[in-house]
Amino acid sequence: RRLRRHDLLVRVRELRARRVDRLLLGLLQARIQLADVLYDTANWSEAIVHYRSAIRLDPTRVTTLVDMGVCYYNLSATDSAVVLFQRALVLDPKQPVALFNLGVVAESQQKDDEAMQYYHRAMQSNPPEQMGQAVSEAMQRIMKRRGQSAPPLPKGAAPGTP
């Protein structure tokens, strides 16, 4: 009889924990959705508030770290942006958006060698087509400033594609 009561208590606790998990997941998704809307309307400071809340609920969401980093960059808080991009890379070392954004930050600080390293890593991470195009254009921009010709195209690539 005592074992059954213990089993019932354990089962009740498990059910409560699942319910709390579902509530937290719903809260996390709501925070991210709200932050994304604010991000899309360039309300950077407000978006940061909601991204920060989402990160407290799940500190392993790479895209949330990157999006919050972009908000900080757009508010000229470059150091905070870099910290977030680097945190994203700790979780996913080949995250193309974080790599690209670190390149953008380095380029904005006239650190072209560092920017090129990040852009190269972004290209090696198989970015989505649109991102690959942006990375390619950034690399060409730096090479043009340096008076160098464009890098050779990867094997099998057509001109105009990354």
Side-chain angles (χ1 to χ4, degrees):
R1 177 178 161 108
R2 186 174 182 152
L3 183 59
R4 264 196 245 168
R5 184 171 182 214
H6 174 72
D7 289 343
L8 285 173
L9 288 172
V10 168
R11 183 72 178 134
V12 166
R13 287 183 183 136
E14 287 174 352
L15 290 172
R16 284 182 182 161
R18 285 186 195 153
R19 186 172 182 210
V20 168
D21 287 348
R22 281 194 305 272
L23 290 171
L24 288 174
L25 180 60
L27 178 59
L28 173 66
Q29 291 170 338
R31 288 290 192 173
I32 291 172
Q33 287 175 349
L34 180 54
D36 288 346
V37 167
L38 293 163
Y39 178 105
D40 291 341
T41 57
N43 288 309
W44 312 120
S45 296
E46 290 296 317
I48 287 170
V49 169
H50 296 285
Y51 283 134
R52 187 177 293 127
S53 178
I55 289 168
R56 275 195 300 270
L57 292 168
D58 183 357
T60 64
R61 291 183 79 97
V62 174
T63 55
T64 304
L65 292 166
V66 171
D67 289 345
M68 191 163 109
V70 171
C71 292
Y72 274 111
Y73 179 79
N74 287 326
L75 291 171
S76 300
T78 307
D79 292 342
S80 295
V82 167
V83 167
L84 289 161
F85 298 146
Q86 290 174 342
R87 275 180 60 189
L89 290 177
V90 167
L91 297 169
D92 180 1
K94 294 184 177 185
Q95 214 294 333
V97 181
L99 291 165
F100 174 74
N101 286 327
L102 284 167
V104 169
V105 170
E107 188 177 358
S108 74
Q109 297 171 338
Q110 287 83 40
K111 298 177 182 176
D112 287 350
D113 290 339
E114 184 179 327
M116 286 295 277
Q117 290 175 6
Y118 284 120
Y119 292 148
H120 278 289
R121 286 179 58 196
M123 286 300 275
Q124 292 170 346
S125 69
N126 296 319
E129 184 177 338
Q130 198 172 30
M131 168 77 45
Q133 184 64 35
V135 173
S136 179
E137 289 169 4
M139 292 171 75
Q140 290 175 8
R141 186 173 52 247
I142 290 172
M143 295 188 82
K144 185 176 179 181
R145 274 198 308 267
R146 292 178 172 176
Q148 298 172 336
S149 60
L153 290 172
K155 186 175 182 178
T161 62

